[in-house]
């Protein structure tokens, strides 16, 4: 497909890269991954990436619809881009605006109606058709492409490791599963990303091997419900994410594996065994619970009790005692009482998180939560969020402090702030600053943590 579009008359030869694209990514890691793949598709169509919006001939917003604020951000950004487009037009220069991602999927036509300066609206399942959409838009047509495509977009995108001029990365995301069938009553994801689809094992193994051959040492498997991934092994037997991890662990040269985001309902025995057996599987787990009250969990349609979540955490900790836990929380879900909120606080105290995200409930039109009675007042949500975040911050800082004096493996990832320094990643997903040479990027070295800042650690190379 990219070959075809590359031969269209208004496109420079592949690699010539005369046009520039600035991609702004909102939302989750799935969007980060998608932005990378869109950049690859555009590179094959003659676009070079830029970090400077003013230099760009195309600005692509890869958007998030999860909370009202996230979606509104897109429209304010579009307002600014409209002015920029006018100024560029006055100079006789092309400037195109594309909206991709979950707002594109959810709002489609409405986006170009609200903001006519937008040239292309493209959903998360159709972005392999982005080059064609831009060609069409250049003829003056406004393009909205948010159908769920019948073809598999991943099969129609350039090999991410073969894109000319792309720097080597030490860590990479690999989308293994997309969409969600869980229908938590607060959430738009089942509507913006569609139903659950798992990518087949052989394709994932091939893509993972290619990434490792290109220098990747740490792979993070992605999915809205990554642990709902399922497939078939070579013998046609049904397998799940745990089995996939065992298979990936055999790839020579790969040093580390992670996965995100998981649902407590899909943490099966095999996956827990993988945490026990695979040293390569890093001791960090993002396992959102959202709330600590059974009443609220039920109203959210999470389909488990708070005590089941705590018991699950205990099981995981019993096989991997050093595992760091991360979570997501929503305060002020409709009907949440003071007592329900106290139950959330109690659960947080019991679990003790290394890291967490917490949000005020945001009403999303079209979700069942929007129609529930007893919406919580904004000032109550604000107060609850502040209390929860204070507790989570305390736990996060205690976790960071507990690292001081520890010796650990560090995967050297990128240049640090100072010359002669590199930033690496600890097994527990922390950024660690250490004195090292840039030729060591991609190496795993032993370091001793000397100090902890609020968001990163400092280390010295450990002797021997
Ligand atoms: N699939 C993941 C989460 C995806 S969305 C899971 O099931 O856990 C990421 C986080 O955004 C959610 O975990 C939730 O905490 C938050 N979120 C989703 N919808 C929200 C809403 N309407 N209001 C506030 N926070 C929300
Ligand atoms: Fe949203 Fe729930 Fe699906 Fe997570 S599991 S994406 S919160 S519906
Ligand atoms: Fe946002 Fe879509 Fe991710 S709504 S959180 S970008 S799946």
């Amino acid at each position: 497909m990219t070959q075809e579009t590359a031969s269209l008359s208004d496109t420079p030869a592949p690699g010539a890269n005369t046009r520039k694209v600035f991609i702004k990514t909102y939302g989750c890691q799935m969007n980060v991954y998608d932005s990378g793949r869109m950049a690859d598709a555009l590179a094959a169509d003659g676009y070079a990436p830029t970090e400077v919006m003013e230099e760009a001939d195309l600005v692509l917003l890869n958007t998030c619809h999860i909370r009202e604020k996230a979606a509104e951000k897109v429209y304010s950004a579009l307002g600014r881009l409209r002015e920029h487009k006018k100024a560029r037009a006055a100079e006789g220069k092309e400037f195109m605006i594309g909206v991709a991602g979950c707002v594109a999927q959810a709002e489609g036509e409405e986006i170009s109606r609200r903001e006519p300066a937008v040239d292309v609206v493209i959903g998360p399942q159709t972005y392999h058709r982005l080059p064609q959409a831009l060609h069409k838009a250049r003829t003056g047509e406004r393009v909205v492409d948010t159908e769920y495509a019948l073809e598999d977009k991943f099969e129609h995108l350039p090999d991410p490791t073969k894109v000319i001029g792309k720097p080597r990365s030490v860590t990479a995301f690999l989308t293994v599963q997309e969409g969600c069938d869980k229908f938590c009553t607060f959430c738009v994801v089942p509507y913006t990303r569609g139903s659950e689809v798992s990518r087949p094992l052989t394709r994932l193994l091939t893509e993972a091997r290619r990434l490792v051959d290109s220098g990747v040492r740490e792979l993070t498997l992605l999915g809205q419900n990554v642990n709902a991934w399922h497939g078939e092994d070579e013998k046609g037997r049904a397998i799940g994410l745990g089995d996939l991890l065992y298979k990936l662990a055999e790839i020579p040269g790969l040093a580390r594996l992670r996965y995100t985001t998981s649902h407590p309902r899909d943490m099966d025995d095999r996956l827990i065994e993988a945490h026990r057996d695979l040293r390569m599987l890093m001791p960090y787990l993002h396992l959102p619970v959202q709330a600590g009250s059974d009443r609220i969990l039920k109203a959210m349609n999470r389909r488990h009790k708070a005590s089941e979540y705590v018991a699950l955490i205990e099981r995981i900790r019993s096989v991997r005692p050093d595992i760091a836990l991360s979570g997501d929380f929503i305060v002020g879900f409709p009907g949440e009482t003071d007592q329900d909120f106290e139950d959330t606080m109690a659960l947080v105290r019991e679990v003790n998180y290394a890291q967490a995200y917490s949000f005020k409930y945001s009403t999303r039109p079209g979700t069942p939560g929007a129609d529930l009675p007893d919406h919580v007042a904004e000032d109550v949500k604000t107060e609850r969020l502040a209390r929860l975040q204070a507790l989570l911050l305390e736990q996060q800082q205690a976790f960071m402090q507990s690292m001081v004096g520890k010796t650990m493996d560090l995967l050297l990832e990128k240049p640090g702030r100072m010359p002669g320094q590199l930033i690496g990643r600890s097994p527990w997903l922390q950024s660690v600053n250490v004195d090292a040479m840039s030729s060591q990027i991609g190496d795993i070295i032993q370091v001793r943590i000397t100090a902890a800042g609020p968001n990163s650690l400092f280390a010295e190379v450990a002797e021997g």
Side-chain angles (χ1 to χ4, degrees), residues 11-212:
T11 308
N17 287 346
T18 53
R19 290 190 172 108
K20 290 198 169 141
V21 56
F22 174 83
I23 305 183
K24 168 100 181 126
T25 308
Y26 303 86
C28 63
Q29 280 112 331
M30 304 285 293
N31 264 14
V32 175
Y33 176 84
D34 290 347
S35 288
R37 300 297 305 253
M38 284 192 273
D40 295 350
L42 289 168
D45 200 38
Y47 278 95
T50 174
E51 302 287 311
V52 186
M53 195 280 279
E54 285 72 21
E55 277 185 1
D57 306 286
L58 165 67
V59 169
L60 195 58
L61 304 180
N62 195 11
T63 61
C64 173
H65 201 245
I66 203 83
R67 285 167 291 274
E68 193 180 353
K69 252 198 209 142
E72 280 309 312
K73 261 189 212 158
V74 174
Y75 286 102
S76 46
L78 286 176
R80 290 192 296 274
L81 290 173
R82 182 207 318 130
E83 294 310 309
H84 186 65
K85 187 173 184 168
K86 267 192 214 150
R88 293 265 303 196
E91 297 168 23
K93 288 187 189 147
E94 177 180 291
F95 184 70
M96 298 180 89
I97 304 174
V99 178
C102 292
V103 176
Q105 189 63 45
E107 299 190 3
E109 304 260 347
E110 176 62 19
I111 298 174
S112 24
R113 215 170 299 132
R114 243 177 103 172
E115 189 46 81
V118 172
D119 300 281
V120 167
V121 175
I122 197 139
Q125 299 309 333
T126 42
Y127 64 73
H128 55 296
R129 301 202 289 240
L130 185 56
Q132 285 107 314
L134 291 169
H135 290 292
K136 241 199 233 168
R138 227 169 257 131
T139 68
E141 197 178 327
R142 223 179 283 143
V143 184
V144 177
D145 188 356
T146 55
E147 294 294 307
Y148 286 119
L150 287 175
E151 72 271 17
D152 177 358
K153 65 171 180 261
F154 297 112
E155 294 306 297
H156 290 79
L157 288 162
D159 174 352
T161 62
K162 297 239 164 62
V163 177
I164 302 156
K166 212 165 123 175
R168 172 194 171 185
S169 23
V170 171
T171 60
F173 289 139
L174 175 58
T175 293
V176 302
Q177 178 279 335
E178 286 199 288
C180 181
D181 294 336
K182 295 263 185 316
F183 291 94
C184 302
T185 54
F186 51 82
C187 186
V188 294
V189 171
Y191 313 95
T192 61
R193 293 277 178 161
S195 53
E196 262 174 42
V197 179
S198 293
R199 297 180 64 196
L201 174 70
T202 47
R203 299 217 181 115
L204 295 174
L205 291 176
T206 307
E207 197 170 321
R209 281 195 204 101
R210 278 190 200 141
L211 287 165
V212 173

Side-chain angles (χ1 to χ4, degrees), residues 66-67 186-187 189 224-225 261-263 288 290 302 328-330 359-362 364:
I66 203 83
R67 285 167 291 274
F186 51 82
C187 186
V189 171
Q224 267 88 16
N225 256 304
T261 292
S262 314
H263 193 289
Q290 316 296 353
R302 293 292 291 183
D328 292 346
F329 297 90
I330 295 178
F359 314 97
K360 287 190 228 178
Y361 171 70
S362 167
R364 308 309 288 130

Side-chain angles (χ1 to χ4, degrees), residues 207-427:
E207 197 170 321
R209 281 195 204 101
R210 278 190 200 141
L211 287 165
V212 173
D213 289 345
S214 78
V216 167
R217 311 280 336 263
E218 177 180 302
L219 263 186
T220 302
L221 311 185
L222 292 183
Q224 267 88 16
N225 256 304
V226 72
N227 55 348
W229 182 88
H230 56 94
E232 273 183 7
D233 70 4
E234 301 77 2
K235 298 196 178 102
R237 279 182 302 225
I239 56 170
L241 187 72
D243 302 287
L244 175 61
L245 288 163
Y246 279 92
K247 289 187 185 295
L248 289 167
E250 285 167 20
I251 297 178
L254 184 61
R256 291 176 164 191
L257 283 165
R258 303 177 185 276
Y259 61 91
T260 197
T261 292
S262 314
H263 193 289
R265 294 261 314 182
D266 293 320
M267 266 335 275
D268 62 19
D269 293 349
R270 186 70 173 147
L271 189 48
I272 297 174
E273 278 166 27
H275 280 284
R276 182 195 62 198
D277 297 343
L278 300 175
R279 289 296 100 181
M280 274 174 78
L281 182 55
M282 290 294 103
Y284 184 98
L285 177 62
H286 184 67
L287 193 62
V289 66
Q290 316 296 353
S293 144
D294 286 342
R295 237 172 44 80
I296 296 299
L297 285 170
K298 188 157 200 285
M300 286 176 162
N301 192 32
R302 293 292 291 183
R303 298 188 295 134
H304 66 78
K305 294 202 160 64
S307 57
E308 288 165 339
Y309 177 82
V310 172
L312 177 61
I313 300 285
E314 274 168 15
R315 273 183 65 210
I316 299 166
R317 279 190 168 141
S318 72
V319 302
R320 192 75 214 244
D322 65 339
I323 201 156
L325 286 161
S326 158
D328 292 346
F329 297 90
I330 295 178
V331 301
F333 186 80
E336 186 187 75
T337 62
D338 283 340
Q339 184 54 51
D340 292 323
F341 174 67
E342 292 307 329
D343 291 349
T344 298
M345 294 289 279
L347 180 140
V348 171
R349 280 189 207 101
E350 181 155 8
V351 172
N352 194 12
Y353 289 91
Q355 215 265 328
Y357 302 92
S358 46
F359 314 97
K360 287 190 228 178
Y361 171 70
S362 167
T363 307
R364 308 309 288 130
T367 60
D371 300 324
L372 289 175
D374 303 324
H375 278 250
V376 174
E378 194 58 30
D379 58 337
V380 175
K381 285 188 203 171
T382 306
E383 197 229 296
R384 286 179 188 167
L385 186 67
R387 279 189 56 207
L388 176 61
Q389 288 188 337
L391 175 60
L392 290 168
L393 186 66
E394 206 180 283
Q395 295 187 346
Q396 183 183 324
Q397 285 175 348
F399 182 73
M400 292 294 267
Q401 280 302 329
S402 74
M403 294 287 137
V404 178
K406 262 198 179 169
T407 302
M408 63 179 71
D409 284 343
L410 190 63
L411 172 59
L412 297 172
E413 206 183 339
K414 56 188 178 198
R417 248 174 276 147
M418 305 291 201
Q421 271 192 350
L422 293 182
I423 295 178
R425 228 180 247 204
S426 84

